[in-house]
């Protein structure tokens, strides 16, 4: 996707997304056979429900029909929320992942390290993590600066009790 097309699409889509109190995470244009594919990913602190994606998709479709931003050919429009395996790249991603287990690739002083830990708190400089204990040991606290994080991704937990279950 050319920069000018990307900028133009972002200019058309972003106001519609923000009007619904959502964050525009990604715009991707690709080819799917003879058709174009426009994929728009949105998120919010509360998550995104299917109805919100459908409503936004209709609004974006109407706006795109008024312009030639997608050119003359046919295209498919997909509006969705990010998947569970989306990389954590923005401060807001870490805030939304508070309480969740994440896998980090760290580069501290040039040394690479992989770490799996629960995000306990997020501030402007970095994260407070809880590293699970091994073989019956208690979890330990660890501080990681954003500058030391090369990659991060939420780990899917199938057997974790949520807070409501723990309180019952």
């Amino acid at each position: 996707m050319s920069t000018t097309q990307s900028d133009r699409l972002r200019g058309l889509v972003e106001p519609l997304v923000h009007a619904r109190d959502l964050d525009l995470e990604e715009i991707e244009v690709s080819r799917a056979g003879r058709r174009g594919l426009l994929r728009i990913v949105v998120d919010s602190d509360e998550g995104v429900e299917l109805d919100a994606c459908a409503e936004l998709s209709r609004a974006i479709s109407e706006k795109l029909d008024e312009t030639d931003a997608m050119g003359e050919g046919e295209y498919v429009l997909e509006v969705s929320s990010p998947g569970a395996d989306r990389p954590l790249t923005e401060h807001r991603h870490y805030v939304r992942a508070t309480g969740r287990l994440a896998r980090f690739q760290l580069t501290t002083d040039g040394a690479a390290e992989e770490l799996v830990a629960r995000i306990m708190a997020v501030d402007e400089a970095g994260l407070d993590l809880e590293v699970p204990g091994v073989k019956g040991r208690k979890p330990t606290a660890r501080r990681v600066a954003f500058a030391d994080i090369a990659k991060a991704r939420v780990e899917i937990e199938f057997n974790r009790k949520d807070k409501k279950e723990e309180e019952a």
Side-chain angles (χ1 to χ4, degrees):
M1 172 170 63
S2 70
T3 303
T4 54
Q5 184 185 29
S6 175
D7 292 343
R8 187 164 182 212
L9 285 169
R10 183 168 291 280
L12 291 170
V13 170
E14 208 159 29
L16 299 172
V17 172
H18 290 303
R20 288 159 178 80
D21 294 324
L22 299 172
D23 295 317
L24 180 59
E25 295 292 341
E26 182 180 349
I27 295 178
E28 178 187 335
V29 176
S30 60
R31 301 292 313 160
R34 293 182 304 207
R35 296 180 183 182
L37 174 63
L38 174 57
R39 181 174 291 124
I40 297 173
V41 180
V42 296
D43 202 3
S44 78
D45 290 343
E46 295 79 35
V48 181
E49 294 187 8
L50 187 58
D51 289 344
C53 286
E55 178 187 317
L56 181 58
S57 179
R58 285 189 291 276
I60 291 170
S61 182
E62 288 175 14
K63 183 60 107 175
L64 291 174
D65 287 347
E66 296 171 5
T67 72
D68 64 346
M70 286 301 293
E72 295 296 318
E74 295 180 16
Y75 67 92
V76 175
L77 172 62
E78 288 182 6
V79 177
S80 66
S81 61
D85 62 345
R86 177 222 16 223
L88 303 175
T89 57
E90 302 284 335
H91 184 270
R92 67 178 178 265
H93 298 165
Y94 292 98
V95 171
R96 291 175 185 157
T98 299
R100 309 250 343 243
L101 197 64
R103 181 174 301 275
F104 299 91
Q105 289 182 2
L106 305 175
T107 53
T108 309
D109 298 325
E113 174 188 4
E114 188 166 293
L115 173 68
V116 176
R118 190 165 310 281
I119 300 171
M120 303 307 290
V122 181
D123 60 32
E124 295 305 314
L127 310 171
D128 291 327
L129 303 175
E130 181 182 80
V131 181
V134 180
K135 297 181 181 179
R137 293 190 178 134
K138 290 184 178 183
T140 57
R142 180 164 175 186
R143 176 76 181 170
V144 173
F146 284 121
D148 294 337
I149 301 172
K151 291 182 182 178
R153 184 178 307 270
V154 169
E155 287 283 288
I156 306 299
E157 295 180 87
F158 293 106
N159 60 354
R160 181 171 186 237
K161 294 179 182 178
D162 65 12
K163 290 179 185 177
K164 292 177 186 172
E165 288 179 31
E166 289 175 1
E167 292 171 359

